[in-house]
Amino acid sequence: MNIQGLQKLTLLDFPGKMACTVFTAGCNLRCPFCHNSPLVINPPKESAYSVEDIIDFIESRRGRLDGVAITGGEPLMQPDIEDFIAEIKGRGFAVKLDTNGTYPDKLKSLVEKGLLDYVAMDVKSGEKGYPQCVGIGNYDLTKVNESIDYLMQGKVDYEFRTTVAKGLHTPEDIEQLGQRLKGARRHYLQAFKDSGELIGFGMEAFSKEEMYELLNIMKKYVPECGVRGV
């Protein structure tokens, strides 16, 4: 595992849980709005935290922490991600996984083995806008769609979420996204924020009013939806 960050307490990242958040390095996408570019572009090869460091930490918080949220980067790129999650689960902690959905086989395996309690999948846009939003021209959505369809079977609790930014997203993109996610359990629109460590440029946040206009589009397709970061 290449672990580059540890947030010791979060009340937001894992719904209904007091959790810590583990940040893994590396990603196969280049989303221009990504605010974790140091984890994505040429991340350190040496892990900042060992698996033992993380296990020792959560054990030291036993009785105060309910779970561990694993994010990135893209955690499913880690070759030993299953062993890491199994170690956490084996100690009685719940696990939430953040993923971009490009590793459907790994996702399915983790779910089928009972190793995940919650999955948050980033769905970047409607089909037309996806290449621009992932920074890869002519992007093939086959694996993303496979992950979407699998999660919508409801074998694990999940949410879809989309970070939206002016310069990348239009109401038409959100309409197309809503049509793709019709019938999903829940979806959140997340406001773009400039962390100062973005991959791309030329973007700005939608206003609060504009965010809720986009939300009204999604509500036609996903009844349980909301906005974050406004």
Side-chain angles (χ1 to χ4, degrees):
M1 292 289 294
N2 187 342
I3 300 169
Q4 292 296 329
L6 171 64
Q7 182 179 349
K8 294 183 177 181
L9 179 65
T10 175
L11 303 178
L12 301 175
D13 288 349
F14 196 152
K17 305 287 186 186
M18 293 185 67
C20 66
T21 302
V22 173
F23 296 84
T24 65
C27 188
N28 55 338
L29 303 181
R30 293 295 181 267
C31 306
F33 51 80
C34 179
H35 61 277
N36 278 336
S37 61
L39 292 178
V40 174
I41 301 175
N42 298 319
K45 291 182 172 57
E46 294 296 323
S47 183
Y49 297 86
S50 68
V51 170
E52 291 74 22
D53 290 336
I54 302 301
I55 298 303
D56 287 347
F57 171 75
I58 63 175
E59 284 290 357
S60 74
R61 297 298 193 276
R62 182 173 291 279
R64 287 176 281 174
L65 286 182
D66 304 312
V68 179
I70 304 174
T71 188
E74 171 50 52
L76 294 184
M77 289 181 67
Q78 302 293 322
D80 43 0
I81 186 67
E82 182 176 318
D83 291 341
F84 179 57
I85 293 174
E87 181 72 21
I88 296 169
K89 285 287 290 182
R91 293 170 181 269
F93 294 90
V95 175
K96 177 204 174 207
L97 175 73
D98 291 351
T99 182
N100 60 28
T102 58
Y103 293 87
D105 291 340
K106 282 189 174 183
L107 176 62
K108 292 175 189 178
S109 178
L110 291 170
V111 172
E112 299 296 336
K113 292 176 180 178
L115 294 177
L116 298 178
D117 299 279
Y118 196 90
V119 175
M121 178 177 163
D122 292 295
V123 184
K124 309 297 183 177
S125 185
E127 182 177 358
K128 183 178 179 182
Y130 231 90
Q132 184 181 14
C133 286
V134 299
I136 301 172
N138 300 314
Y139 187 72
D140 185 351
L141 280 166
T142 300
K143 291 183 177 180
V144 169
N145 282 323
E146 189 176 341
S147 292
I148 291 172
D149 291 338
Y150 179 73
L151 288 177
M152 288 180 67
Q153 293 177 26
K155 294 183 178 182
V156 64
D157 201 8
Y158 72 93
E159 68 181 52
F160 296 121
R161 58 193 189 183
T162 306
T163 299
V164 290
K166 286 185 180 180
L168 287 177
H169 297 90
T170 66
E172 291 72 25
D173 291 321
I174 304 307
E175 185 81 41
Q176 191 175 66
L177 175 65
Q179 292 169 357
R180 176 63 185 90
L181 300 183
K182 185 177 181 179
R185 184 169 294 175
R186 60 182 70 90
H187 177 268
Y188 295 97
L189 291 170
Q190 301 184 151
F192 164 75
K193 293 188 184 301
D194 188 345
S195 67
E197 294 182 316
L198 302 177
I199 289 178
F201 55 89
M203 298 161 288
E204 62 180 279
F206 287 101
S207 69
K208 182 178 180 178
E209 292 74 19
E210 290 168 331
M211 288 291 293
Y212 279 95
E213 289 172 4
L214 298 177
L215 179 65
N216 286 334
I217 296 173
M218 287 301 303
K219 281 183 175 179
K220 296 186 297 183
Y221 303 102
V222 183
E224 187 177 341
C225 57
V227 296
R228 290 174 174 157
V230 297

